[in-house]
């Protein structure tokens, strides 16, 4: 284990397994799991609950003054209530991608993420953060940047397993939604998903054919190789 805190930034497309890996990695390293996407999902959830139009930038920005989010392990607390399960809902996840293109939303969220991480690192903690621009915008100087990905068909299947629905028609629809979201995340002007992660210093890992334990083993091995942990 390390003698001081540092940041692990994990990026990648939707349903690549970032959240599962980040949480387990943080637990294994006795670190702090920073779920950056939770902030955007919470903002989207607030808008949905208030009946606001996610396509109206000013309406979305109006909820920022009431934003009260705390992260504790794998729990997400919004205004004093546990919304860990609610922010996993398809509509909220899709909404987070929509509102994530607004500059003010990203600016406020990134500053909060950086403040949380700085505090944890100062206490000697390893911060494991995941998202879609974690290693490019939020923590560009992170000692270890991982780009976790998988084939679109594999990711669509994983998402349908998560939803508990495996019909062929639904799988096809989910694959199309996923491809649309990938395109939007890569092409957006504000903090896009890296299109060429290796060129930006990422360790790229395609886990299409890997089990969760195998993915974890490869990441741990790479951290040891770089002498970030013992």
């Amino acid at each position: 284990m390390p003698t001081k805190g540092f940041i692990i930034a994990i990026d990648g497309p939707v349903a690549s397994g970032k959240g599962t890996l980040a949480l387990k990695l943080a637990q294994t390293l006795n670190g702090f799991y920073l779920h950056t996407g939770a902030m955007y999902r919470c903002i989207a959830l607030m808008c949905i609950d208030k009946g606001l139009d996610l396509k109206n930038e000013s309406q979305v920005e109006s909820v920022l003054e009431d934003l009260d989010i705390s992260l504790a392990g794998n729990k997400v607390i919004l205004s004093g209530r546990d919304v860990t399960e609610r922010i996993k809902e398809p509509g909220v996840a899709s909404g987070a991608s929509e509102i994530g293109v607004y500059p003010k939303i990203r600016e406020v969220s990134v500053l909060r993420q950086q403040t949380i991480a700085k505090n944890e690192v100062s206490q000697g903690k390893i911060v494991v953060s995941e998202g879609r621009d974690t290693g490019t915008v939020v923590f560009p100087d992170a000692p270890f940047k991982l780009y976790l990905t998988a084939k679109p068909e594999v990711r669509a299947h994983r998402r349908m397993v998560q939803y508990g629905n495996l019909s062929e028609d639904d799988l096809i629809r989910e694959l199309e939604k996923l491809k649309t979201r990938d395109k939007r995340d890569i092409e957006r002007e504000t903090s896009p998903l890296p299109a060429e992660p290796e060129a930006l210093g990422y360790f790229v890992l395609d886990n299409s054919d890997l089990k969760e334990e195998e993915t974890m083993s490869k990441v741990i091995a790479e951290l040891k190789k770089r002498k970030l942990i013992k």
Side-chain angles (χ1 to χ4, degrees):
M1 294 299 109
T3 55
K4 61 180 182 179
F6 67 94
I7 294 171
I8 295 174
I10 304 175
D11 285 322
V14 62
S16 59
K18 302 185 302 296
T20 299
L21 173 65
L23 178 58
K24 290 187 176 180
L25 190 58
Q27 292 171 338
T28 299
L29 300 176
N30 192 30
F32 179 85
Y33 170 46
L34 178 53
H35 182 2
T36 63
M39 293 193 178
Y40 299 103
R41 291 189 181 208
C42 281
I43 294 171
L45 177 60
M46 290 175 71
C47 292
I48 291 170
D49 284 350
K50 289 176 179 287
L52 303 180
D53 182 1
L54 296 180
K55 291 181 170 54
N56 186 312
E57 190 171 348
S58 61
Q59 284 190 26
V60 174
E61 288 180 1
S62 71
V63 306
L64 289 176
E65 59 187 35
D66 298 322
L67 190 61
D68 178 16
I69 302 172
S70 61
L71 307 173
N74 63 340
K75 296 292 184 183
V76 180
I77 309 300
L78 175 63
S79 300
R81 60 194 177 102
D82 187 341
V83 295
T84 308
E85 294 305 316
R86 280 211 67 193
I87 63 172
K88 294 177 183 177
E89 295 172 2
V92 177
S94 177
S97 181
E98 278 192 69
I99 60 103
V101 303
Y102 300 142
K104 185 65 176 179
I105 298 300
R106 297 203 74 81
E107 177 188 347
V108 170
S109 298
V110 167
L111 283 174
R112 290 193 179 207
Q113 292 155 17
Q114 291 172 333
T115 299
I116 291 172
K118 182 179 180 180
N119 181 58
E120 295 296 329
V121 168
S122 71
Q123 298 178 52
K125 285 281 189 179
I126 300 175
V127 173
V128 184
S129 181
E130 55 94 0
R132 287 178 184 76
D133 62 355
T134 313
T136 53
V137 175
V138 190
F139 306 114
D141 299 321
F144 184 62
K145 300 198 290 188
L146 168 67
Y147 189 88
L148 190 66
T149 188
K151 298 172 184 175
E153 295 78 10
V154 172
R155 292 188 283 124
H157 184 269
R158 289 174 181 170
R159 183 49 57 94
M160 295 312 297
V161 169
Q162 180 183 346
Y163 295 159
N165 189 337
L166 287 173
S167 75
E168 190 65 29
D169 287 344
D170 284 334
L171 185 59
I172 291 172
R173 280 194 290 270
E174 184 61 30
L175 178 59
E176 288 307 309
K177 284 169 56 180
L178 186 146
K179 288 180 177 178
T180 298
R181 184 165 172 182
D182 282 353
K183 187 173 186 293
R184 181 170 63 205
D185 286 343
I186 289 174
E187 295 181 352
R188 69 189 183 198
E189 291 184 12
T190 305
S191 305
L193 177 71
E196 298 181 0
E198 283 185 336
L200 298 174
Y202 283 88
F203 171 62
V204 179
L205 179 60
D206 186 323
N207 68 353
S208 298
D209 301 315
L210 299 177
K211 296 179 181 177
E212 288 181 6
E213 309 81 55
E214 294 172 322
T215 299
M216 172 73 85
S217 294
K218 285 185 177 293
V219 173
I220 292 291
E222 186 65 23
L223 286 167
K224 289 181 177 178
K225 178 182 176 181
R226 300 183 183 211
K227 302 189 185 318
L228 290 170
I229 63 173
K230 296 179 181 178

